[in-house]
Amino acid sequence: VQLVESGGGLVQAGGSLRLSCAASGFTWDDYAIGWFRQSPGKEREGIACMMSRGSAPDYTDAVEGRFFISYDNAKKQAYLQMNSLKPEDTAVYFCVVEEPPRFRTCTIPNLDPNYWGHGTQVTVSS
């Protein structure tokens, strides 16, 4: 299984970025896919997730209303649209998969990924 993130970079506060995650190496049809991030000196935190077959996404409070997750199951491509970026959004962002999914819907508190990408750096300047 490979999860390859792209789209990170340096952006000014208030700007936008779109992260992509190319998933490959598996034929599963039902799994949870999402994004975690890790800021310097902090633990990794789940920020967005959804089910591969389509479901209402879930977000952590810190990004609710600013970040939007989507997934093209046919292409096995996940996206994270990040708007109104803040300096505190600076982190390494990881694409993750939980397979098999433990629940029928994905919620951040219950997301327990067993596959991780290597991450992409997002830096937001003030």
Side-chain angles (χ1 to χ4, degrees):
V1 175
Q2 277 197 317
L3 302 172
V4 180
E5 304 93 338
S6 61
L10 174 64
V11 64
Q12 287 189 330
S16 298
L17 278 177
R18 189 194 195 204
L19 303 184
S20 299
C21 171
S24 63
F26 59 90
T27 58
W28 313 316
D29 183 52
D30 186 21
Y31 47 93
I33 188 160
W35 294 87
F36 272 61
R37 70 183 180 185
Q38 186 168 23
S39 303
K42 295 185 178 180
E43 293 186 355
R44 289 181 181 181
E45 62 169 340
I47 58 172
C49 73
M50 64 182 294
M51 301 303 293
S52 60
R53 292 179 176 176
S55 68
D58 192 40
Y59 301 94
T60 192
D61 289 346
V63 308
E64 179 85 53
R66 299 188 298 121
F67 291 12
F68 302 94
I69 186 174
S70 59
Y71 185 61
D72 185 331
N73 200 4
K75 296 181 179 179
K76 288 188 171 56
Q77 190 90 5
Y79 305 95
L80 185 68
Q81 178 66 42
M82 306 187 296
N83 302 324
S84 302
L85 283 160
K86 305 174 181 180
E88 51 264 43
D89 293 320
T90 294
V92 178
Y93 285 72
F94 299 90
C95 178
V96 299
V97 163
E98 178 186 314
E99 199 285 332
R102 296 184 299 146
F103 301 94
R104 298 311 304 162
T105 59
C106 187
T107 59
I108 295 299
N110 292 328
L111 181 60
D112 186 20
N114 44 354
Y115 298 96
W116 293 75
H118 290 296
T120 185
Q121 176 71 46
V122 172
T123 303
V124 184
S125 63
S126 57

